[in-house]
Amino acid sequence: MGVTIFSIMLVLLLLGFPMMIPLIVGAFVGFVTLFGGLGQLETMIQQMMAGIRPASLIAVPMFIFAADIMTRGQSAGRLIDMVMAFVGHLRGGLAISTAAACTMFGAVSGSTQATVVAIGGPLRPRMQKAGYGDSFILALIVNASDIAFLIPPSIGMIIYGVVSNTSIAELFIAGIGPGLLILVLFSIYAWIYAARTGVPTEDKADWGLRLRAVRAALWPLGFPAIIIGGIYGGIFSPTEAAAACVLYALIIEMVVFRELDVAGVYRTAKSTGLITAVVFILVAAGAAFSWVISFAQIPQAILSGVGIDEMGQIGVLFVISIAFFIGCMFVDPIVVILILVPIFAPVVSSVGLDPVLVGTLITLQVAIGSATPPFGCDIFTAIAVFKRPYWEVIRGTPPFIVILLGVSVLLIFFPQIALFLRDLAFAD
Amino acid sequence: ETWRYAFEEALDEVQGIFAQKFKEEVEANSDHEIQLFPYGTLGESADTMEQAQAGILQFVDQSPGFTGSLIPEAQVFFVPYLLPTDTETLASFFRNSEAINGMFPELYAEQGLELLTMFPEGEVAITTKEPFASPDELDEVKVRTMTNPLLVESYKAFGATPTPLPWGEVYGALQTNIIQGQENPMFFIESTKMYEVTDHVTMIGHNNFTTAVMANKDFYDGLPEEDRQVIENAIDVAFDHIIEYQKGLHETSIEKIKEAKPSMTFTTLTEEQRAPFREAAQEVEARFIEMTGEGGQAILDQMKKDLAEAQEASSS
Amino acid sequence: MAACPRLRALLRTTALSDIPSSSQTQSQTDTTSTDDAVETAYVSTLPGVLGTLDVGIARLESVLLAGGVLLMAVNTIANVVGRYVFQSSLFFSEELNRILIIVITFAGISYAARQGRHIRMSAIYDALPGRARKGLMIVIALVTAGFMFLLCWYSAQYLLTQAGRGRVLPALQIPVWTTLIIVPVGFFMTGLQYLLTAIKNIISRDIYLSTVVLEGYEEDEMEV
Ligand code: NA
Ligand code: NA
């Protein structure tokens, strides 16, 4: 059944059907096959509704809304001007700043989709203007946003910790090393890209200019303060921080900068709603599809044929990585974790692997999967927000995927990348 | 035939242990196979419940707290200080209670479900960042609760600020101090690492987490007598097993937590200290009657009667 | 395909992507926001009363979208204020947001279908010659419409089942089924949009992504 469904989905996808159709048809064929007819399609609807139920999803429209207000107004421009005053003269400076901002924002907000919008939204036009190619920019935004899975707080790690009975605090610390390593490698790639394609650098700004840029950005600097200070300071949940950003954005753009009127707010809200709907219907359809995979116990069937019990530690780590990588290409990462972790649990303990290392590796695959074609929420979000064709959004992805897979392999052979900080922090 | 069984916890948590035992028994005594679906693999609690009602799942484990929106009377398990803390009494109560074995099955049957059994999962403990021994000390402490009106009411009565939050956000919210407390049985506090983000565990004895196992009613009624017997026997074996399994589970969980975090404190409030909490709980009981009317009153009265009998039986 | 450049210019898109921030307006001043442009210029392709109805529905969808987002912001902010200022969370906040997400998603999929904004992977499609593209677009629109109507039917069934069970939202104490009313409606309106798109493609010379949007993404600079 699995093969048939995947084939149909792939054909529909390639023919140019709206992305929701391959997912809906995949789920539909699954339900009809499993229950011998149309009798249980109500459960398909139930799971679609379940897909858009998690409260944490609220952060997505809220951050989109805030970012859209900032971008239509002056906040985003002023913030970027400030960053440029400091890094504009460095080769690849803007790209590296973008990657760092995506990582930071994604880590704190807990929503990679929101990151694509909130950081990618304002920075993409500026990078285009600076001379970067659009496919490079889009791939950078999507992939750098997904590093956030590894930086605490990470919902994927929390779920893994609960399912596998592993210390979440240790997982959080273990994620930082690989996360930063990836950021550094992305930055090196951005630097090489900028050098090779001859992205021009700006003149180095003097300190007077920098000071002026900082002063101009004083109000908008409230945004990082709300997000970082608010969340790590324990004032807001990520969702609430997003709503606070909306409020703050409305105040400064309507009252302080007087850039936005009521009609403008209404239009912005509508455009936010549209982007949200286009992405969430895919989340909904994806959830129904994930349910079919889970109910039919397809992963169990595939993995029982792999012969994992005879492998050593390295072999097991490779199988786990591949399983999660493939799973996350098609299915919601949370569901993948919930289904696969218990399947692998016995072999992980029988070969004596550190569950923290396994968790870090799995989280890394989840991050890769979310940015990897064909199905990936952050790809969808980028398409919806930037209105660029699917192909163009994913065209620049390969170098990033190569880096991410490279880090996966490094992590398998050099677990200290993840465990070094953990051992340091939890040394008795 | 393949039967499917979904529950609300991981495979190695209490509901999972029960399900595994049930599976083992059924498979040993019949040709049927049982597939287990732990938490989240087929959706949330409300989803699996509906799937059981639709007959997609043959068996489902759902705690009455989540069943409250479907069967309001089931919220009786959130009336504080109703259930005893003593495990012997509790087991005898669940085995013999007329409310549980006579009245609730009828209510579940109206929803297309055959109630197979209810069992306790352990005393609910509260983990917080600051220690407390009285309602006053809970003032302005935000405690996460499930989105359940009665539970919200309870924590208001206890003097805290109840903060309904989806389970997925609890760890992060405790870590960043958005909330300062949450409640759960000890094994769950251990397995979900709640101790990593709080510092004190307090047992005020207000509740024992209860869960229920059901079958789809049409499926169950359509089974041949021998299959029904297999299921009933398996449920009985699994019930005894889970009661036995839980003996000392509370204590081993505490040991595990202490080992992982020696600074964690564990406090059981004395009867005297519990008095003001008990007092406050009166209004929650009144609220339960208000919400559920005569049906609720009848269940509550019967439960109190059953409990008195269980208490008597175990003290004699 | 005889793509009219002026219409294309009108349809050139701006979302966050290319709305100029005040300090860098030169390069992009020629863009107009699609959402704004289409709204002011939205003319139904249906005749007479049906056309008026169609415009009315489009307007309603847009109000639900914008209103949903605004209300969600107000609700979430109020919850924070409640917790810090009045020491009490809004007990219904989470449930209200859940309802709003449903409203936004299902009002939005129909609105997005109207605007030709649903995400698709068009690489192979784009490479096809005009006639094949047109044929394929008709098939795509019809199949999509079919599945939307199918989901409309089953979501209506699901709604009725919910109504029969009488489940209520724990905090708001309103029946669950009332929060689902927009689901079949949204699927139906989306199906209708795709059906009309198929008809539009059959009767006219150009190729349409939706009843009012001609195919073709804006041609921005390409990466070399
Ligand atoms: Na994170
Ligand atoms: Na993917």
Side-chain angles (χ1 to χ4, degrees), chain A residues 19 42 135 235 240 267 387, chain C residues 36 83-84 119 161 223:
Chain A
M19 195 74 72
E42 281 184 39
S135 286
I235 302 169
E240 292 169 349
R267 269 201 305 278
K387 299 188 179 176
Chain C
D36 311 351
R83 217 179 58 229
Y84 283 98
I119 296 169
T161 307
E223 187 182 359

Side-chain angles (χ1 to χ4, degrees), chain A residues 13-21 24-25 28 38-39 41-46 48-49 52-53 55 57-58 61-62 64-65 67-69 71-74 76-78 81 117 121-122 124-126 128-129 132-136 193 234-237 239-240 243-244 246-247 259 265-267 269-282 380-381 383-392 394-395, chain C residues 13-24 26-28 33-36 39 59 61-70 72-74 76-77 79-80 83-84 94 97-98 101-102 104-109 111-113 115 117-126 136 139-141 143-145 147-148 150-152 154-155 157-159 161-162 179-180 183 187 190 194 217-224:
Chain A
L13 179 80
L14 293 174
L15 283 177
F17 277 78
M19 195 74 72
M20 61 181 166
I21 290 300
I24 287 170
V25 171
F28 174 80
L38 301 169
L41 284 183
E42 281 184 39
T43 300
M44 178 173 162
I45 302 289
Q46 179 210 53
M48 291 185 74
M49 303 311 295
I52 54 173
R53 191 192 298 145
L57 281 180
I58 304 294
M62 289 299 97
I64 295 178
F65 194 28
D68 209 349
I69 296 168
T71 317
R72 286 181 196 237
Q74 297 187 10
R78 288 177 186 227
D81 284 341
V117 182
R124 175 172 165 259
R126 185 59 70 92
Q128 284 178 306
K129 196 174 157 233
Y132 292 92
D134 204 21
S135 286
F136 169 78
Y193 175 92
I235 302 169
F236 301 131
S237 73
T239 312
E240 292 169 349
V246 170
L247 184 66
E259 189 72 26
V265 172
Y266 180 84
R267 269 201 305 278
K270 192 178 66 184
S271 132
T272 298
L274 179 64
I275 294 168
T276 306
V278 165
V279 174
F280 280 14
I281 192 65
L282 297 175
F380 299 155
T381 309
I383 295 168
V385 171
F386 303 130
K387 299 188 179 176
R388 303 308 303 160
Y390 184 96
W391 178 240
E392 206 170 303
I394 63 165
R395 198 155 48 110
Chain C
T13 49
T14 34
L16 292 163
S17 48
D18 35 20
I19 287 172
S21 76
S22 58
S23 50
Q24 47 122 35
Q26 320 86 315
S27 64
Q28 311 214 348
S33 166
T34 310
D35 300 343
D36 311 351
E39 201 196 351
R59 196 119 327 240
E61 285 165 0
S62 112
V63 169
L64 287 173
L65 270 183
V69 171
L70 288 168
M72 184 182 281
V74 170
T76 314
I77 293 165
N79 191 36
V80 184
R83 217 179 58 229
Y84 283 98
E94 187 195 332
N97 273 348
R98 275 189 192 179
I101 275 292
I102 298 175
I104 292 167
T105 303
F106 287 90
I109 53 169
Y111 192 78
Q115 310 273 6
R117 283 285 303 272
H118 277 288
I119 296 169
R120 47 196 285 265
M121 181 169 168
S122 54
I124 293 178
Y125 172 92
D126 288 341
L136 185 53
V139 172
I140 288 174
V143 170
T144 305
F147 273 99
M148 290 297 114
L150 185 93
L151 292 183
C152 165
Y154 283 98
S155 56
Q157 295 299 311
Y158 179 67
L159 187 151
T161 307
Q162 290 293 333
T179 68
L180 299 172
V183 178
F187 279 131
T190 310
Y194 276 103
Y217 283 91
E218 56 173 325
E219 279 110 20
D220 270 1
E221 77 287 359
M222 302 294 286
E223 187 182 359
V224 277

Side-chain angles (χ1 to χ4, degrees), chain A residues 35 40 43 46-47 50 53 55-56 155 162 165-169 172 231 234 236-237 291 294-295 297 338-339, chain B residues 4 35-37 39-42 44 47 50-51 54 56 166 168-169 171 175-178 191-193 196:
Chain A
F35 303 111
Q40 297 290 3
T43 300
Q46 179 210 53
Q47 284 304 302
R53 191 192 298 145
S56 51
I155 186 71
V162 169
N165 211 346
T166 306
S167 164
I168 296 163
F172 277 1
I231 296 176
F236 301 131
S237 73
W291 188 92
S294 177
F295 189 85
Q297 304 217 318
L338 287 169
I339 298 174
Chain B
R4 294 178 172 87
Q35 288 180 350
L36 299 180
F37 293 92
Y39 168 76
T41 51
L42 293 181
E44 287 178 17
D47 298 329
E50 282 182 11
Q51 289 160 25
I56 288 182
E169 289 182 17
Y171 188 95
Q175 193 171 42
T176 54
N177 204 34
I178 288 173
S191 70
T192 58
K193 309 298 167 203
E196 292 182 353

Side-chain angles (χ1 to χ4, degrees), chain B residues 241-308:
Chain B
H241 178 73
I242 210 66
I243 296 295
E244 196 55 37
Y245 171 81
Q246 288 188 74
K247 280 192 186 140
L249 179 63
H250 185 84
E251 289 72 22
T252 32
S253 302
I254 291 179
E255 286 313 310
K256 280 190 196 165
I257 295 174
K258 276 183 178 163
E259 197 179 315
K261 185 174 175 180
S263 66
M264 200 80 190
T265 74
F266 296 84
T267 313
T268 306
L269 297 192
T270 62
E271 271 313 309
E272 205 173 315
Q273 288 169 317
R274 285 178 185 185
F277 290 103
R278 242 181 234 282
E279 187 90 14
Q282 294 302 320
E283 45 182 289
V284 184
E285 189 174 313
R287 178 91 180 93
F288 170 72
I289 301 295
E290 193 185 315
M291 280 165 55
T292 54
E294 276 175 33
Q297 181 80 60
I299 288 264
L300 186 66
D301 290 346
Q302 184 63 45
M303 273 185 67
K304 284 183 175 171
K305 213 168 126 220
D306 298 342
L307 282 161

